[in-house]
């Protein structure tokens, strides 16, 4: 079966408009933000202020919410088209946030659109799409392997018309400042199959019994990846999302496209690193000639270009299968493993070609690399995807 990835003219116009918006509006604002920041790291409040200002411009440029249906205020792009648009937005640090297409909100938006009741959509989805609130997705736990959510220890016990929840979560991205959480808890520990033991709950934040213990330090510093202690948290029966016992299915349905969305953004970051590598190789002189004339550097360029090309094809094929209701799980694992490792290798080569400058904080590559290392862990470690592919 032939597959044509040529974008329709109207979609390609959106892709080009997003690139222009990133180049002319977002990147200059980011450069100003970092230039004025003490020690090169801007304060979180300054980042939030910039994002809020640029979100208004995103509306003016008609690039807001590209992945959501038009009846919900979006541009109505499918996942294949979003493969191009997400890559364009991720060529900057905060582009996805400015389009309101960032993790974890993007995945939560899709989840609510497909699984929430009408009342839940009005209460949670609409303000999320309008950019008035943020959200988080609380599943991962420190005591349990993240690749096996059937083993989570957070328990929800029914008490009359309410549920009482106790547990421990961590690496809950976006938890600080979120107005609500999609929380996965075990409601039926003896369920058969075990995948039917978990339920998803919508939790209004802040809430009694929901304690943010800390923003976990990572190689890349603070990233609003929080540890959460849940103690006698009470939610009403109407807080159940997608039906009792469907938390695992809901989470898996969310994670497939979300993994691919990560890959789309990583492709944009890889393109930026490769462009920096090539520019440095063309401009840097060694023994009377540019680095680009050295065979070792040419191999770095060629390897990076080939790996990026294959990554794009993997992502597009997986997106095509999702959009056309075909089995996609293995193809998403192909992409998740390959793109995460490709990002790391290309950024590493770019640092190598930049030499001492690449290792310094004068260039953004060091910061890019610390973030890139997480790509091989988030939404399933490399080994999990390799095992799935092998099966």
């Amino acid at each position: 079966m032939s597959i044509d990835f040529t974008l329709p003219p109207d979609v390609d116009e959106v892709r080009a408009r997003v690139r222009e918006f990133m180049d002319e509006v977002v990147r200059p604002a980011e450069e100003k933000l970092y230039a004025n920041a003490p020690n090169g790291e801007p304060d979180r409040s300054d980042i939030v202020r910039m994002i809020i200002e640029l979100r208004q411009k995103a509306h003016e440029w008609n690039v807001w919410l590209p992945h959501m249906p038009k009846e919900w205020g979006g541009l109505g792009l499918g996942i294949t088209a979003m493969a191009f648009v997400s890559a364009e937005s991720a060529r900057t640090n905060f582009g996805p946030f400015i389009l309101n297409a960032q993790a974890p909100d993007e995945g939560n938006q899709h989840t609510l659109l497909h699984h929430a009741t009408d009342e839940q959509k009005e209460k949670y989805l609409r303000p999320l799409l309008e950019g008035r609130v943020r959200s988080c997705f609380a599943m991962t736990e420190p005591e349990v392997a993240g690749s096996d959510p059937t083993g989570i220890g957070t328990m929800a016990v029914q008490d009359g018309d309410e549920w009482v929840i106790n547990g421990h979560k961590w690496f809950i991205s976006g938890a600080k400042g979120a107005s609500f959480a999609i929380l996965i808890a075990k409601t039926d520990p003896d369920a058969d199959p075990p995948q039917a033991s978990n339920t998803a709950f919508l939790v209004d934040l802040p809430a009694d019994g929901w304690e943010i213990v800390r923003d976990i330090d990572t190689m890349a510093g603070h990233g609003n990846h929080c540890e959460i202690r849940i103690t006698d948290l009470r939610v009403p029966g109407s807080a159940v999302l997608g039906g009792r016992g469907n938390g695992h299915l809901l989470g898996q349905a969310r994670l497939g496209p979300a993994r691919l969305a990560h890959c789309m953004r990583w492709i944009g970051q890889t393109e930026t690193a490769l462009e920096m590598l090539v520019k440095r190789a063309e401009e840097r002189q060694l023994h009377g000639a540019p680095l680009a004339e050295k065979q070792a550097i040419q191999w770095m360029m060629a390897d990076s270009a080939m790996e990026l090309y294959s990554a794009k094809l993997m992502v597009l094929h997986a997106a095509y299968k999702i959009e056309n209701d075909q089995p996609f799980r293995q193809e998403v694992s192909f992409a998740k493993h390959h793109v995460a490792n490709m990002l790391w290798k290309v950024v590493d080569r770019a640092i190598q070609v930049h030499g001492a400058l690449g290792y310094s904080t004068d260039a953004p590559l060091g910061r890019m690399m610390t973030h890139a290392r997480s790509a091989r862990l988030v939404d399933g470690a490399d080994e999990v995807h390799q095992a799935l592919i092998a099966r």
Side-chain angles (χ1 to χ4, degrees), residues 329-361:
R329 191 176 181 192
Q330 187 177 46
E331 286 76 12
V332 168
S333 285
F334 285 157
K336 170 61 176 65
H337 184 280
H338 177 76
V339 179
N341 282 270
M342 175 221 45
L343 171 63
W344 172 263
K345 288 188 283 188
V346 176
V347 173
D348 181 67
R349 292 179 191 130
I351 291 174
Q352 192 72 11
V353 172
H354 280 74
L357 174 60
Y359 187 64
S360 77
T361 56

Side-chain angles (χ1 to χ4, degrees), residues 69-140:
K70 292 181 179 180
E71 59 267 28
W72 284 94
L75 300 183
L77 299 186
I79 190 169
T80 309
M82 280 302 298
F84 294 90
V85 170
S86 293
E88 296 291 355
S89 69
R91 290 166 62 87
T92 61
N93 290 329
F94 301 106
F97 289 87
I98 292 161
L99 303 187
N100 199 10
Q102 74 286 348
D105 287 335
E106 181 185 10
N108 288 348
Q109 290 163 3
H110 285 296
T111 300
L112 291 166
L113 181 67
H114 295 295
H115 298 283
T117 65
D118 289 342
E119 292 78 11
Q120 289 170 338
K121 287 178 183 178
E122 286 301 320
K123 182 176 180 179
Y124 298 103
L125 178 60
R126 190 172 297 282
L128 190 61
L129 297 183
E130 293 175 352
R132 293 188 280 118
V133 303
R134 290 193 300 100
S135 64
C136 62
F137 186 81
M139 182 172 69
T140 305

Side-chain angles (χ1 to χ4, degrees), residues 186-212:
K186 192 177 297 298
T187 53
D188 301 275
D190 299 322
D192 185 18
Q195 286 78 5
S197 61
N198 295 337
T199 299
F201 295 90
L202 288 161
V203 181
D204 294 312
L205 299 176
D208 292 337
W210 175 280
E211 176 195 0
I212 296 180

